[in-house]
Amino acid sequence: MPTATLIIFMYCLCMVGLNALLAPALAILSDRVPPKLCGTVSSFYGGGMVAGQPIGTMIGSRMINNAQAGFIIGAVIMLAFGFVALAIWPREESSKDMERTKMTLKDLAVSFHFPKFSTSRDFYKAFGCRVCMLLSYQMISVYQLYIVEDYVHQTKTEAAGTIATMSIITMVVSLSASLISGPISDKMHTRARY
């Protein structure tokens, strides 16, 4: 991309597509999973996320000297797994006979408001912790290549090897923590309630 504006625009466009894929997966947790298993199922969902990102980073580090091929491979993988998810996604009952309510722009706007703090402390705890965790994780992972090249002074090829190793470590630790924390949450009956 030749300009920062175009990079930002394309990044935002990609995030709209990515979140269009992720939002239905998150809705399934609350819509179709029994409350007593939400933590365990969430940990598997989270485990997939924390394993997928380091695996993507490892693949990307192998393509460091041929970025265009890496982007094409990434796009093909995302497209293919979209069809895999569609094929294995649990089917729900038809909603054609369900009562429908008309949604106005005002209803849509109201749906974006945050709940009252006095009645939703668990929501704000979970929200705050998640924002801080994701912000700190992304600050390192997104700029990892530049950190290793500019501050550790490795060549691009050496940096790719370092990033691949760090990705494996991140995946093992994050996956372990994710798969352990879900069942613990189920046993403690802790949930962020809205």
Side-chain angles (χ1 to χ4, degrees):
M1 299 283 167
T3 66
T5 305
L6 194 54
I7 290 171
I8 291 168
F9 174 77
M10 290 306 292
Y11 176 81
C12 291
L13 189 63
C14 289
M15 288 299 106
V16 167
L18 178 63
N19 284 296
L21 291 170
L22 295 179
L26 287 172
I28 279 194
L29 292 177
S30 61
D31 290 348
R32 301 188 196 168
V33 175
K36 65 180 183 175
L37 295 175
C38 275
T40 301
V41 174
S42 292
S43 72
F44 279 100
Y45 173 82
M49 296 289 285
V50 299
Q53 191 161 359
I55 289 170
T57 303
M58 282 190 304
I59 293 169
S61 70
R62 299 288 182 221
M63 301 287 183
I64 195 129
N65 293 315
N66 190 359
Q68 188 172 5
F71 284 118
I72 291 169
I73 289 170
V76 168
I77 289 171
M78 284 184 72
L79 182 65
F81 276 98
F83 285 111
V84 169
L86 196 61
I88 65 173
W89 203 266
R91 301 287 179 241
E92 60 184 53
E93 294 177 26
S94 173
S95 60
K96 69 178 182 177
D97 297 327
M98 291 176 67
E99 185 180 331
R100 296 171 194 252
T101 56
K102 188 173 181 177
M103 179 178 261
T104 65
L105 283 175
K106 181 182 176 187
D107 295 331
L108 181 64
V110 168
S111 72
F112 282 97
H113 84 286
F114 281 88
K116 291 182 182 177
F117 181 78
S118 60
T119 59
S120 306
R121 289 197 173 128
D122 286 347
F123 167 81
Y124 285 100
K125 286 179 194 174
F127 181 79
C129 289
R130 187 167 173 83
V131 166
C132 291
M133 181 196 70
L134 287 173
L135 187 62
S136 60
Y137 179 76
Q138 294 297 332
M139 284 170 55
I140 299 298
S141 69
V142 169
Y143 297 105
Q144 207 169 19
L145 175 63
Y146 306 114
I147 292 168
V148 174
E149 283 183 331
D150 297 342
Y151 293 97
V152 182
H153 304 294
Q154 291 187 344
T155 66
K156 192 175 268 193
T157 306
E158 291 171 333
T162 300
I163 290 170
T165 302
M166 290 170 61
S167 294
I168 292 169
I169 294 167
T170 300
M171 182 176 63
V172 169
V173 171
S174 299
L175 197 54
S176 300
S178 177
L179 296 178
I180 290 168
S181 62
I184 290 173
S185 173
D186 285 337
K187 289 201 183 315
M188 295 173 63
H189 304 290
T190 54
R191 298 281 180 275
R193 291 175 182 83
Y194 312 115

